Amino acid sequence: MSTPLKSSFLLSYLCTLPPALLSREILMADSEALPSLAGDPVAVEALLRAVFGVVVDEAIQKGTSVSQKVCEWKEPEELKQLLDLELRSQGESQEQILERCRAVIRYSVKTGHPRFFNQLFSGLDPHALAGRIITESLNTSQYTYEIAPVFVLMEEEVLRKLRALVGWSSGDGIFCPGGSISNMYAVNLARYQRYPDCKQRGLRTLPPLALFTSKECHYSIQKGAAFLGLGTDSVRVVKADERGKMVPEDLERQIGMAEAEGAVPFLVSATSGTTVLGAFDPLEAIADVCQRHGLWLHVDAAWGGSVLLSQTHRHLLDGIQRADSVAWNPHKLLAAGLQCSALLLQDTSNLLKRCHGSQASYLFQQDKFYDVALDTGDKVVQCGRRVDCLKLWLMWKAQGDQGLERRIDQAFVLARYLVEEMKKREGFELVMEPEFVNVCFWFVPLTLRGKQESPDYHERLSK
Ligand SMILES: *Cc1c(COP(=O)(O)O)cnc(C)c1O
Ligand SMILES: *[C@@H]1O[C@H](CO)[C@@H](O)[C@H](O)[C@H]1NC(C)=O
């Protein structure tokens, strides 16, 4: 805190603190170092080296070894006993703490395990993990350049790269805490763009609104409508065809119906890679409808966005460049690790900041010693925000576009392989030929084969 500029910043920051905090903050500025919480730097280092060892051995080596279990499964009551969860007044020794770390890993699900086949992500990318470890260790917040100089610039570059894959040479964006939140941002931005008054005056200034999405959409659209005060009734559910794709003619029809009921259509959320079937909505046709009616087009590409990296398969998202906003989760198909979700915007009018900013004077001073346009804090509704760009950036540096493209292509090849193997076997029934990496099928047990006509067939099959 030596330069005059910095101390004047410190002063303005201190003035905003409650008096109880002042003495501590001044101590931080004056003294050489705060006493470490654990008291003993040697012990701190020993603990962390030991923990890293446990992580590498237990979570990474064993956790990705096919000869080990995905999870040591226990029923909740037994697990509570085993973990000894209660927090007590007396602290524990390093040995005990290390044993606790091992137990946490032992009873947790190893999502990097080759036999982990759960929701939409799996595998372990070592570079992304390295990025996550560095992120956690630095414990900084993404909101201003002064506290996150590296990550502010890095986030900008990663978002620029993702936008370029969408097909935009300019625009805006932000990393959000997950695709659900990215979707909610898109809805809020679309509403604000149409009714800027709503930021100050709230919902009472608005007519009843309508947004449109298909029956196969992710449930976060409904949640978002509730959370943003639109109400779930404002979500109009458009038909999907037998492959799970939104039917543009039905979208057109639903828009007409909503208008006839006195609602104002403002947004369509198309899905690129639906969560269950892996369907890609026909974006060109949907963009035409949006253009005709002046509606914001959001593309929920949380799951399918990463297909844009594949020259072979990116045609599935043809038309995405006509969207106003795109949600894309590199934490799913790209295996960047939870969480890593980008909201991308075509907008260049600072819509994000206008919609979500509140110009907090203690954090976002306009007379800083760098370009304050770099401060991202007023783009979001959070205050502190995790660094989510490093894990993706580091993995991308290690893999290059080509390495990531190979991974995506390989996922398609594996899905195809699975389908071909199923076709060779009795008892497997495909729900449909997949066009993405979701392979939906029934396994029909011996006792039910050839009994499709019996009245309880579907109930028994489900069981
Ligand atoms: C997973 C998913 C989401 C939600 O993303 P989270 O990061 O889990 O909140 C939204 N849309 C689609 C299509 C998804 O598959
Ligand atoms: C991490 O940063 C937050 C502020 O964002 C701070 O409150 C907290 O004490 C830090 N934790 C550690 C362990 O450094």
Side-chain angles (χ1 to χ4, degrees):
M1 295 292 169
S2 51
T3 71
L5 269 171
K6 278 189 182 169
S7 34
S8 82
F9 162 71
L10 179 66
L11 201 65
S12 70
Y13 177 58
L14 292 182
C15 293
T16 65
L17 292 173
L21 279 179
L22 270 172
S23 59
R24 213 187 112 227
E25 294 286 328
I26 287 167
L27 187 80
M28 278 175 66
D30 285 347
S31 64
E32 298 72 55
L34 275 175
S36 142
L37 282 180
D40 175 358
V42 177
V44 170
E45 185 184 331
L47 170 74
L48 289 176
R49 285 194 188 281
V51 170
F52 282 135
V54 170
V55 168
V56 172
D57 293 345
E58 308 286 324
I60 299 173
Q61 267 174 2
K62 286 193 196 157
T64 59
S65 158
V66 79
S67 63
Q68 301 283 326
K69 289 183 177 176
V70 174
C71 175
E72 185 75 45
W73 176 262
K74 301 288 172 196
E75 295 300 323
E77 280 314 314
E78 190 189 355
L79 187 55
K80 274 187 203 165
Q81 297 299 319
L82 286 165
L83 292 173
D84 178 29
L85 290 170
E86 188 191 337
L87 298 167
R88 306 192 178 83
S89 59
Q90 192 77 36
E92 296 185 345
S93 72
Q94 171 157 330
E95 267 324 297
Q96 286 169 303
I97 293 300
L98 285 175
E99 199 35 58
R100 299 217 175 266
C101 294
R102 289 191 197 95
V104 165
I105 296 171
R106 186 176 319 128
Y107 299 114
S108 288
V109 175
K110 268 63 104 188
T111 61
H113 194 284
R115 289 191 179 144
F116 171 79
F117 296 123
N118 207 281
Q119 288 95 345
L120 305 193
F121 65 92
S122 69
L124 178 86
D125 181 275
H127 298 100
L129 177 61
R132 302 209 295 277
I133 292 169
I134 296 170
T135 302
E136 285 301 324
S137 309
L138 291 173
N139 185 39
T140 196
S141 177
Q142 186 79 62
Y143 48 32
T144 64
Y145 181 78
E146 65 207 322
I147 196 140
V150 172
F151 301 128
V152 163
L153 299 180
M154 187 182 285
E155 181 175 71
E156 204 171 77
E157 178 58 22
V158 174
L159 291 170
R160 195 194 60 72
K161 181 82 182 179
L162 295 175
R163 277 196 308 266
L165 285 163
V166 168
W168 299 335
S169 55
S170 61
D172 202 353
I174 205 78
F175 276 95
C176 292
S180 304
I181 307 290
S182 295
N183 287 339
M184 292 181 203
Y185 268 90
V187 174
N188 199 41
L189 288 163
R191 179 172 67 179
Y192 172 78
Q193 193 195 44
R194 175 141 338 177
Y195 299 103
D197 243 18
C198 154
K199 180 176 176 183
Q200 190 185 346
R201 303 196 52 229
L203 300 178
R204 73 196 125 105
T205 62
L206 301 178
L209 298 177
L211 65 97
F212 303 82
T213 188
S214 94
K215 143 179 180 302
E216 294 292 328
C217 79
H218 189 260
Y219 63 84
S220 56
I221 304 295
Q222 256 82 11
K223 281 196 179 189
F227 187 65
L228 294 167
L230 290 160
T232 50
D233 283 353
S234 64
V235 180
R236 308 292 173 120
V237 179
V238 180
K239 278 191 192 134
D241 66 17
E242 72 288 348
R243 308 201 61 193
K245 295 167 181 285
M246 187 191 286
V247 178
E249 297 73 26
D250 192 55
L251 172 61
E252 189 81 60
R253 200 178 63 88
Q254 296 270 353
I255 292 170
M257 273 168 52
E259 280 171 340
E261 289 166 24
V264 179
F266 74 110
L267 170 137
V268 174
S269 179
T271 312
S272 288
T274 60
T275 313
V276 177
L277 295 174
F280 287 79
D281 286 345
L283 298 180
E284 291 285 7
I286 294 169
D288 288 342
V289 176
C290 289
Q291 207 169 332
R292 256 197 309 282
H293 294 271
L295 307 183
W296 180 288
L297 174 57
H298 173 63
V299 177
D300 176 0
W303 175 220
S306 301
V307 175
L308 289 168
L309 282 149
S310 162
Q311 295 308 318
T312 314
H313 301 289
R314 61 168 290 140
H315 66 86
L316 290 169
L317 297 99
D318 278 353
I320 194 168
Q321 74 286 352
R322 295 172 68 188
D324 296 283
S325 56
V326 171
W328 177 349
N329 281 6
H331 72 225
K332 288 185 172 170
L333 198 51
L334 280 183
L338 270 172
Q339 58 205 28
C340 190
S341 172
L343 174 73
L344 307 171
L345 297 167
Q346 201 173 2
D347 172 78
T348 52
S349 72
N350 234 357
L351 189 67
L352 264 177
K353 268 194 190 173
R354 286 187 285 121
C355 180
H356 300 123
S358 70
Q359 289 101 40
S361 60
Y362 78 95
L363 201 51
F364 306 118
Q365 300 91 346
Q366 295 306 296
D367 59 348
K368 288 182 184 173
F369 43 93
Y370 59 84
D371 178 5
V372 293
L374 288 166
D375 290 354
T376 62
D378 255 352
K379 292 187 181 188
V380 294
V381 293
Q382 296 171 259
C383 174
R385 185 162 62 93
R386 285 180 58 84
V387 171
D388 286 328
C389 57
L390 174 60
K391 53 200 162 211
L392 179 56
W393 181 85
L394 207 58
M395 179 174 79
W396 211 315
K397 278 284 190 195
Q399 292 286 329
D401 296 350
Q402 293 172 351
L404 296 181
E405 175 173 22
R406 272 196 300 275
R407 275 189 190 176
I408 303 298
D409 288 344
Q410 178 67 0
F412 277 85
V413 168
L414 291 176
R416 188 35 52 193
Y417 175 77
L418 179 60
V419 169
E420 296 310 325
E421 290 301 309
M422 276 176 182
K423 286 181 178 170
K424 291 181 197 159
R425 285 166 172 75
E426 291 286 310
F428 287 97
E429 253 175 45
L430 277 177
V431 172
M432 61 181 211
E433 279 291 327
E435 68 176 339
F436 191 21
V437 298
N438 305 45
V439 179
C440 299
F441 64 90
W442 291 101
F443 175 69
V444 187
L446 269 175
T447 51
L448 284 177
R449 286 182 205 164
K451 305 226 169 86
Q452 285 89 328
E453 303 310 323
S454 70
D456 60 349
Y457 175 80
H458 286 286
E459 195 193 320
R460 288 173 63 198
L461 185 57
S462 292
K463 277 189 182 153

